[in-house]
Amino acid sequence: MIGRKHNQKQRGGRRCPHGRSNAALLKSRKIYVASKVHKDVRVPFREITLSPTVAANGRIKVNEPVRVYDTSGPWSDPEFHGKINRGLPALRRPWILSRGDVEDIGGMDVLPFAVKPLRAKPGRIVTQLHYAKQRVVTSEMEFVAIREGLDPEFVRSEVARGRAIIPVNINHTESEPMIIGRNFLIKINANIGNSAVASSIEEEVEKMRWALKWGADTVMDLSTGKSIHETREWILRNSPVPVGTVPIYQALEKAGGAAEELTWDIYRDTIIEQCEQGVDYFTVHAGVLLRYIPLTAKRVAGIVSRGGAILAKWCLAHHQESFLYTHFHELCEIMAAYDVAFSLGDGLRPGSIADANDEAQFAELKTQGELTKIAWEHGCQVMNEGPGHVPLHLIKENMDKQLEWCHEAPFYTLGPIPTDIAAGYDHMASAIGAAMIAWYGAALLCYVTPKEHLGLPNKKDVKDGVIAYKIAAHVADLAKGHPLARQCDDAMSKARFEFRWEDQFNLSLDPETAREFHDATLPQQRSKLSHFCSMCGPKFCAMKITEDIRRVAEQGMKKKSKEFKCKGGEIYQKT
Amino acid sequence: MIGRKHNQKQRGGRRCPHGRSNAALLKSRKIYVASKVHKDVRVPFREITLSPTVAANGRIKVNEPVRVYDTSGPWSDPEFHGKINRGLPALRRPWILSRGDVEDIGGMDVLPFAVKPLRAKPGRIVTQLHYAKQRVVTSEMEFVAIREGLDPEFVRSEVARGRAIIPVNINHTESEPMIIGRNFLIKINANIGNSAVASSIEEEVEKMRWALKWGADTVMDLSTGKSIHETREWILRNSPVPVGTVPIYQALEKAGGAAEELTWDIYRDTIIEQCEQGVDYFTVHAGVLLRYIPLTAKRVAGIVSRGGAILAKWCLAHHQESFLYTHFHELCEIMAAYDVAFSLGDGLRPGSIADANDEAQFAELKTQGELTKIAWEHGCQVMNEGPGHVPLHLIKENMDKQLEWCHEAPFYTLGPIPTDIAAGYDHMASAIGAAMIAWYGAALLCYVTPKEHLGLPNKKDVKDGVIAYKIAAHVADLAKGHPLARQCDDAMSKARFEFRWEDQFNLSLDPETAREFHDATLPQQRSKLSHFCSMCGPKFCAMKITEDIRRVAEQGMKKKSKEFKCKGGEIYQKT
């Protein structure tokens, strides 16, 4: 019973060595909440155990554990003994097969995995949007409802009206359903993927698991180098969260790196390959129209989106609209057959403060809105990508126009970053813009790492980016009043007031760093129990003094109460 | 001529060793802009040299250097050869003496310094507010105007109506005047100071210079341990920026650490001592009234301000209003005689999201407003301190109420931090709230370091806190449209578009980190010149492709232009 022992150790709260993506966080345990409707729907949470409150009179009061949203998948479950060369269990395969609308299509195996891809039966649409419109609450919707603490019917209705998406390719059966929409918890995306310059497949899988440990809700594989298909296979088979890609990158590889050599055929083959593999959403820059390109010529920073630049170059070289725009209906039909969601790219997003909210940007946004409607007609789920570099006072206009022009489809923004001069700290700077736009209504935030504009992120950068964006998303959730949002904050503040240091660490977004920082000043174990902290020292501690005040106030009340009783106990004294 | 050589080396752009507070930043040089009115007013700037633009045709175009606001004082001037045991030159002493309204009062020397303190002559008021009301544009106002690129008369009028302050104690003659008000650049404060737990005087002076190197506009000395007077003397004599304190901390030391033993006499002696030493502004928690204290009893986090807690304890113990409130007029008279500005403390600020914008907090804010008016009547300069822990959707209410109740006196906020669970990252989380409230109208932001709520900041934490707040302040300046705000952003974006990597590093808020991050991926010198970056690689680079697009577009224009000319050169063809 080796597994069991391992399990007990984990449950016992063994200190997890810093830097391991599969180690559970201290004093956290994985729990599952089962659906009462769909028997095989079990939703994971991370439960944080709290120590009891010890009152001044010595009385002990239990503090209920806190349950938080958990993106780490089976990797953090001590009962799970998988390895990355075996991949995760096919959680959703029975749900998909039970609907009877898909067929096996054979197709290629990527060693060591041997997943048989599925596709919609001819004439069938297998998207969550389609089911929602048919008034079907799927297992995926039920899963999401439990995860968010909301009503399944509400989830269905939000998906049905296109205001939220559940990105779940029928070939990514390993994924635990999650929802992206402005009436749900704000989600964050972490970009991974190797480039021509460096990094191995295993490193990328590890980076992904690392990002999920810290709370990434989706990942995008932006690989551009060799082994693009193989890298993606390893990521998909090991990812419990939706995986997005920008298929034009792989298509360009196939076209020998020359944008003008791209064709619809190359692109179509590429997306079918990725649909069969299980990619959950595609960034598609179909809104980059020929007539918008000259609008960028006078910009300070031109076109900064890679996909946008490739499409623009193609359009200029051929002097015609891109194949993404001219074949958009066909694209929708393909994606609907696998339930791959659209992430309509913003290829002309501003790349500098000077270019924010310009004509090129908003022209494309309007086209994104038109394409959104077309994709919906095909039953496809859709979100829209947004900027970019935008100063604070111009952020709201982006959100307002997107809601209006794109018919309330979820908005997925990259930051926005509200200054150009924070190189090395762009995760922080962009978290400011991200928090604001999420509060205004954005649903998914693409993280930015400290290496943005400078280089490729390493593991530390990935973590820093994820934490910065967890903060941005969480402060927006608090501001919007999501029912689950405040539980940790309230538990944290109570723990602070009661000097329960261990609980403060464990309730933090990054317990390991919180503990490490505390211990740097007051390393002794006993200080974690003592009623003061290093900022004030024992004599000056404000919270300590507040405790005294409460005691004095209580005594005062008792005294006043005694006086009151002595004087006859009447509220109004008879005169 | 050793000095001269040293100078040349610095000017030559020698790589500054990481971690030295007195080393100039690479490719930056100290320059001074002299006033045309006041001969001895010379305002320092940091000038960043840029490399030229090399067009595709090989033509070279010069890029003008960029001048930025410089807080580092003489320490970054290669012509200055001072040491911290000699202190900075008494820059403002001639200005002060020339006004003829102060007198020498003798007083104590603190070795190794021997500064003779000044005080207003009996019956005279020596504050910038008083001068401004008399329609006098002081050298200090002239200095500030050049520094901000604004009209001196505008500076005077903002000070006169109390909407801005220039914190300049007549005994802190080493300071370079700066202005705090919402129509000027947003300023940031860095807290330093040793506590009972650890840290030496030299370390604190070094921490201060370090904070100034990265852009802190003021520092607060929050020392609470032994040698409180001596530490402050070293900080003041070496500080080119205003220094604030919370005098109740030192008063409490004198009262043996027991809040209830404090008296007006102890407090008065303490502030006179600090006025004579040169402290530029005092945090005074005079708005903590007896009747407000019970309003905090049901809070999740009670009273979290140290000063607030001390005052609350005193009020409860004596069952009367605090001596700060009852002796407020006398306090004003003393502070007016040295031009020490009020920073009216928010002793009842919320310490958790759950407590934000509650009755206790706003009751005190109203009293701060009443006290502001009284202080103004005495000629004192005033700002008001604000929260604290506030969720995004409640931030604006703080700003609006402060403007209304406190008659537009500058608002000085601590963050606010919009979540309680970001321990270890509170600098980032609070920068979100700080950016927002600064955009709404706050004038001074008190930084928060990564160690907030956990321990005492070290040098790295100080830098991280300062940079996070420089970002917050700068994004607010951009949003508000300060005339100097966008120059660096625009220069940066142009440098990005033209792949001038060295310029990108030098224009960043932290050139050292930007360079280091870039070199981690592409260390070779030549990559700093190459037309692609590590994110995309040479084939995929979006900016590279945009260059191609421009070329194609230009060629296309020429072609179209040729066609146009061939067809007769008429805009509308005759049919």
Side-chain angles (χ1 to χ4, degrees):
Chain A
M1 294 291 280
I2 291 169
R4 196 155 181 85
K5 270 186 195 164
H6 175 68
N7 174 10
Q8 285 173 338
K9 270 190 190 167
Q10 288 276 349
R11 295 229 170 168
R14 189 170 51 119
R15 178 79 192 264
C16 45
H18 186 77
R20 277 180 53 211
S21 64
N22 62 340
L25 292 167
L26 193 67
K27 288 285 182 190
S28 284
R29 66 187 190 110
K30 188 105 180 174
I31 62 152
Y32 294 90
V33 175
S35 161
K36 285 162 193 162
V37 185
H38 296 83
K39 274 185 199 163
D40 52 354
V41 168
R42 290 165 70 241
V43 181
F45 288 91
R46 178 161 71 91
E47 194 174 81
I48 305 165
T49 311
L50 301 178
S51 42
T53 296
V54 184
N57 58 12
R59 204 173 298 163
I60 284 174
K61 212 186 139 194
V62 168
N63 288 298
E64 291 302 322
V66 175
R67 276 183 196 170
V68 298
Y69 195 101
D70 182 9
T71 58
S72 57
W75 298 115
S76 61
D77 185 343
E79 308 277 352
F80 177 70
H81 306 293
K83 290 214 167 88
I84 67 163
N85 60 3
R86 280 156 47 200
L88 292 174
L91 169 73
R92 293 191 308 110
R93 197 168 168 92
W95 309 353
I96 293 159
L97 294 178
S98 74
R99 290 192 279 255
D101 51 7
V102 297
E103 59 186 15
D104 219 310
I105 50 167
M108 49 186 151
D109 287 353
V110 179
L111 290 175
F113 310 106
V115 179
K116 298 290 172 214
L118 303 169
R119 187 176 60 201
K121 285 179 183 166
R124 304 294 291 268
I125 299 172
V126 296
T127 68
Q128 296 291 316
L129 173 58
H130 178 73
Y131 302 137
K133 280 184 171 169
Q134 309 299 312
R135 307 211 149 265
V136 176
V137 174
T138 61
S139 297
E140 285 85 349
M141 295 172 200
E142 172 79 11
F143 191 102
V144 158
I146 296 171
R147 220 169 175 185
E148 301 262 345
L150 295 166
D151 183 48
E153 172 51 27
F154 177 69
V155 171
R156 188 205 61 76
S157 70
E158 290 288 297
V159 173
R161 64 181 289 177
R163 202 149 64 180
I165 67 169
I166 301 176
V168 275
N169 184 326
I170 53 171
N171 290 315
H172 185 202
T173 54
E174 299 86 349
S175 81
E176 297 172 345
M178 54 78 77
I179 193 161
I180 299 167
R182 73 179 202 279
N183 293 318
F184 301 91
L185 289 166
I186 311 292
K187 306 303 187 298
I188 67 167
N189 171 69
N191 289 336
I192 53 169
N194 54 9
S195 87
V197 180
S199 104
S200 77
I201 290 179
E202 257 175 84
E203 271 176 46
E204 291 312 309
V205 174
E206 176 54 22
K207 235 185 238 174
M208 175 193 70
R209 297 204 299 164
W210 183 242
L212 303 185
K213 172 175 177 168
W214 299 111
D217 296 286
T218 79
V219 294
M220 286 193 80
D221 174 15
L222 302 184
S223 295
T224 56
K226 278 170 195 159
S227 332
I228 219 168
H229 185 95
E230 200 187 351
T231 303
R232 195 167 52 231
E233 184 73 15
W234 280 75
I235 287 173
L236 279 162
R237 300 291 75 82
N238 287 294
S239 173
V241 303
V243 175
T245 63
V246 187
I248 200 88
Y249 295 172
Q250 189 182 7
L252 189 66
E253 292 281 339
K254 291 183 184 177
E260 55 277 22
E261 301 298 321
L262 280 164
T263 62
W264 165 245
D265 287 346
I266 295 175
Y267 189 82
R268 188 195 51 214
D269 291 351
T270 305
I271 61 157
I272 290 175
E273 170 189 334
Q274 298 198 16
C275 284
E276 291 180 357
Q277 244 185 330
V279 174
D280 300 284
Y281 61 93
F282 291 154
T283 293
V284 179
H285 299 93
V288 177
L289 300 192
L290 184 60
R291 64 181 178 275
Y292 302 158
I293 299 167
L295 302 177
T296 66
K298 298 280 177 199
R299 278 179 166 183
V300 170
I303 298 176
V304 294
S305 150
R306 275 192 271 177
I310 294 164
L311 268 296
K313 199 173 180 186
W314 191 94
C315 290
L316 284 188
H318 296 266
H319 207 77
Q320 64 188 54
E321 295 302 357
S322 81
F323 49 84
L324 295 180
Y325 187 75
T326 56
H327 290 76
F328 194 72
H329 284 277
E330 201 177 336
L331 190 53
C332 292
E333 280 164 21
I334 297 168
M335 288 166 69
Y338 302 88
D339 201 3
V340 177
F342 273 98
S343 184
L344 288 169
D346 56 335
L348 306 181
R349 67 172 174 266
S352 72
I353 292 300
D355 300 334
N357 293 22
D358 72 354
E359 213 185 335
Q361 184 197 339
F362 283 145
E364 186 186 17
L365 184 62
K366 250 190 180 156
T367 302
Q368 285 174 263
E370 289 160 23
L371 296 169
T372 297
K373 279 214 154 171
I374 296 171
W376 279 347
E377 282 161 20
H378 287 273
C380 292
Q381 302 191 86
V382 186
M383 58 184 169
N384 291 276
E385 295 186 9
H389 291 238
V390 186
L392 292 192
H393 65 298
L394 298 182
I395 290 177
K396 194 158 186 300
E397 187 184 11
N398 279 277
M399 192 65 234
D400 293 345
K401 283 197 164 41
Q402 192 272 341
L403 284 175
E404 186 193 336
W405 294 346
C406 302
H407 324 290
E408 300 190 78
F411 203 24
Y412 170 25
T413 59
L414 177 59
I417 188 163
T419 171
D420 301 334
I421 62 167
Y425 301 82
D426 280 341
H427 62 313
M428 275 190 206
S430 64
I432 296 172
M436 283 182 58
I437 205 160
W439 175 34
Y440 296 151
L444 176 61
L445 306 172
C446 183
Y447 87 165
V448 167
T449 77
K451 290 272 172 66
E452 185 76 19
H453 297 113
L454 294 169
L456 287 175
N458 58 25
K459 252 178 101 171
K460 183 181 183 309
D461 299 319
V462 167
K463 179 178 171 184
D464 286 349
V466 169
I467 298 281
Y469 273 68
K470 286 302 283 182
I471 291 170
H474 180 65
V475 301
D477 286 334
L478 282 173
K480 292 170 65 183
H482 189 289
L484 297 183
R486 237 184 67 181
Q487 53 172 355
C488 275
D489 293 74
D490 288 351
M492 173 67 117
S493 295
K494 190 162 183 277
R496 272 193 184 135
F497 190 72
E498 294 169 1
F499 297 94
R500 285 182 276 117
W501 285 100
E502 292 288 347
D503 292 349
Q504 291 179 50
F505 306 148
N506 299 330
L507 287 162
S508 300
L509 288 172
D510 175 3
E512 292 168 13
T513 298
R515 172 185 303 274
E516 186 193 310
F517 281 6
H518 174 269
D519 290 358
T521 311
L522 285 180
Q524 306 89 333
Q525 175 58 28
R526 72 182 149 71
S527 76
K528 299 200 187 73
L529 303 168
S530 68
H531 274 211
F532 69 94
C533 58
S534 55
M535 279 92 71
C536 304
K539 257 194 315 210
F540 276 81
C541 184
M543 294 227 182
K544 178 80 175 60
I545 290 179
T546 305
E547 278 193 351
D548 294 345
I549 288 170
R550 280 202 185 161
R551 207 161 38 240
V552 169
E554 265 172 34
Q555 285 165 357
M557 291 293 272
K558 276 180 195 156
K559 198 184 148 203
K560 289 278 174 204
S561 154
K562 215 172 169 183
E563 280 176 21
F564 177 72
K565 283 173 189 165
C566 290
K567 285 179 182 173
E570 297 286 338
I571 292 176
Y572 299 100
Q573 299 289 330
K574 276 167 200 158
T575 51
Chain B
M1 296 289 282
I2 292 168
R4 195 157 180 83
K5 271 185 196 165
H6 175 66
N7 175 8
Q8 284 172 337
K9 270 190 192 168
Q10 289 276 347
R11 296 229 169 167
R14 191 171 51 119
R15 178 77 192 265
C16 45
H18 186 76
R20 276 179 55 209
S21 63
N22 61 339
L25 291 167
L26 193 66
K27 290 284 181 190
S28 284
R29 66 187 190 110
K30 189 105 180 172
I31 61 153
Y32 294 90
V33 175
S35 162
K36 285 162 194 163
V37 186
H38 296 82
K39 275 185 199 163
D40 52 354
V41 168
R42 290 166 69 241
V43 182
F45 288 91
R46 178 162 70 90
E47 193 174 81
I48 305 166
T49 310
L50 300 179
S51 42
T53 297
V54 184
N57 58 12
R59 204 171 296 163
I60 285 174
K61 213 187 139 192
V62 169
N63 287 298
E64 291 302 321
V66 176
R67 276 183 196 171
V68 299
Y69 196 101
D70 181 10
T71 58
S72 57
W75 298 116
S76 61
D77 186 343
E79 308 276 352
F80 178 70
H81 305 291
K83 291 219 167 85
I84 67 164
N85 61 2
R86 280 156 45 199
L88 292 174
L91 169 73
R92 294 192 307 109
R93 198 169 169 94
W95 308 354
I96 294 158
L97 295 177
S98 74
R99 291 192 279 255
D101 51 5
V102 298
E103 60 186 15
D104 219 309
I105 50 169
M108 50 185 149
D109 287 353
V110 179
L111 290 176
F113 311 104
V115 179
K116 299 290 172 214
L118 303 170
R119 188 176 60 201
K121 286 179 181 166
R124 303 296 289 268
I125 299 173
V126 296
T127 68
Q128 296 291 317
L129 173 59
H130 178 73
Y131 302 136
K133 280 183 173 170
Q134 309 299 311
R135 307 212 149 263
V136 175
V137 174
T138 61
S139 297
E140 286 85 349
M141 295 172 201
E142 173 79 10
F143 191 102
V144 158
I146 296 171
R147 221 170 174 183
E148 301 261 345
L150 295 167
D151 183 49
E153 172 53 27
F154 177 70
V155 171
R156 188 206 61 76
S157 71
E158 289 290 295
V159 172
R161 64 182 290 178
R163 202 149 64 180
I165 67 170
I166 301 176
V168 274
N169 184 323
I170 53 170
N171 290 316
H172 184 201
T173 55
E174 299 86 352
S175 82
E176 296 172 345
M178 54 77 78
I179 194 160
I180 299 167
R182 74 180 201 280
N183 292 320
F184 301 91
L185 289 167
I186 310 294
K187 306 302 187 298
I188 67 167
N189 171 68
N191 289 335
I192 52 170
N194 54 9
S195 87
V197 179
S199 103
S200 78
I201 290 178
E202 257 174 85
E203 270 175 46
E204 292 312 309
V205 173
E206 176 53 23
K207 234 185 241 175
M208 175 193 71
R209 295 204 299 164
W210 182 242
L212 303 186
K213 172 176 178 168
W214 298 112
D217 296 286
T218 80
V219 295
M220 287 193 78
D221 174 16
L222 302 184
S223 295
T224 57
K226 275 169 196 158
S227 334
I228 218 168
H229 185 94
E230 201 188 351
T231 303
R232 195 168 50 231
E233 184 72 14
W234 280 76
I235 287 173
L236 279 163
R237 300 291 74 83
N238 287 295
S239 173
V241 303
V243 175
T245 64
V246 188
I248 199 90
Y249 296 172
Q250 188 182 10
L252 189 66
E253 291 283 338
K254 292 182 182 176
E260 55 276 21
E261 300 299 323
L262 280 164
T263 63
W264 165 245
D265 288 346
I266 296 176
Y267 189 83
R268 188 194 52 216
D269 291 351
T270 305
I271 60 157
I272 290 174
E273 171 188 335
Q274 297 198 16
C275 286
E276 292 180 357
Q277 244 184 329
V279 174
D280 300 284
Y281 62 93
F282 290 155
T283 294
V284 179
H285 299 94
V288 177
L289 300 192
L290 184 60
R291 64 181 178 276
Y292 303 157
I293 300 167
L295 302 177
T296 67
K298 298 281 176 198
R299 278 180 166 183
V300 170
I303 298 175
V304 294
S305 149
R306 276 191 270 178
I310 293 164
L311 267 297
K313 197 171 180 186
W314 191 95
C315 290
L316 284 188
H318 296 266
H319 207 77
Q320 64 188 55
E321 296 301 357
S322 82
F323 48 83
L324 295 180
Y325 187 76
T326 56
H327 290 76
F328 194 72
H329 285 275
E330 201 176 337
L331 189 53
C332 293
E333 282 164 20
I334 297 168
M335 287 166 69
Y338 303 87
D339 199 4
V340 177
F342 273 99
S343 185
L344 288 169
D346 57 335
L348 306 181
R349 67 170 174 267
S352 72
I353 292 298
D355 299 335
N357 293 22
D358 73 353
E359 213 184 335
Q361 184 197 339
F362 283 144
E364 185 186 19
L365 184 62
K366 250 190 180 154
T367 302
Q368 285 173 263
E370 289 160 22
L371 296 169
T372 297
K373 280 214 154 171
I374 296 170
W376 280 346
E377 283 161 18
H378 288 271
C380 291
Q381 302 192 86
V382 186
M383 57 183 170
N384 291 277
E385 294 185 11
H389 291 239
V390 185
L392 293 192
H393 65 298
L394 299 182
I395 290 177
K396 192 156 188 303
E397 187 183 12
N398 279 277
M399 192 65 234
D400 293 345
K401 283 194 161 48
Q402 192 272 342
L403 284 176
E404 185 193 336
W405 295 345
C406 301
H407 324 289
E408 301 189 77
F411 203 24
Y412 170 24
T413 59
L414 178 58
I417 188 164
T419 170
D420 302 335
I421 62 168
Y425 301 82
D426 280 341
H427 61 314
M428 274 190 209
S430 64
I432 296 172
M436 283 183 57
I437 206 159
W439 175 34
Y440 296 150
L444 176 61
L445 306 171
C446 184
Y447 89 164
V448 168
T449 77
K451 289 273 172 66
E452 184 75 20
H453 296 113
L454 294 169
L456 286 175
N458 59 24
K459 252 178 100 171
K460 183 182 182 309
D461 299 320
V462 167
K463 179 178 170 184
D464 285 349
V466 169
I467 299 281
Y469 273 68
K470 285 302 282 182
I471 292 171
H474 180 65
V475 302
D477 286 334
L478 282 175
K480 291 170 66 183
H482 189 288
L484 296 184
R486 240 185 65 181
Q487 52 171 356
C488 276
D489 294 74
D490 288 351
M492 172 68 116
S493 295
K494 189 161 183 278
R496 272 194 184 135
F497 189 72
E498 295 169 0
F499 297 94
R500 285 183 275 116
W501 286 101
E502 291 290 347
D503 292 349
Q504 291 179 49
F505 306 149
N506 300 330
L507 287 161
S508 301
L509 289 171
D510 175 2
E512 293 169 12
T513 297
R515 172 184 304 274
E516 186 193 309
F517 281 6
H518 174 269
D519 290 358
T521 310
L522 285 180
Q524 305 89 331
Q525 175 59 28
R526 72 183 150 70
S527 76
K528 297 199 188 72
L529 304 168
S530 67
H531 275 210
F532 69 92
C533 59
S534 56
M535 279 91 73
C536 303
K539 258 196 312 212
F540 276 81
C541 184
M543 294 225 183
K544 179 79 175 59
I545 290 180
T546 304
E547 279 192 353
D548 295 345
I549 289 171
R550 280 203 187 161
R551 206 162 36 241
V552 170
E554 266 172 35
Q555 287 166 356
M557 292 293 272
K558 277 181 195 156
K559 198 184 148 202
K560 291 275 174 206
S561 154
K562 216 172 170 182
E563 281 175 21
F564 176 72
K565 284 174 190 164
C566 290
K567 284 179 184 174
E570 296 288 335
I571 292 176
Y572 299 100
Q573 300 290 329
K574 276 167 200 157
T575 50

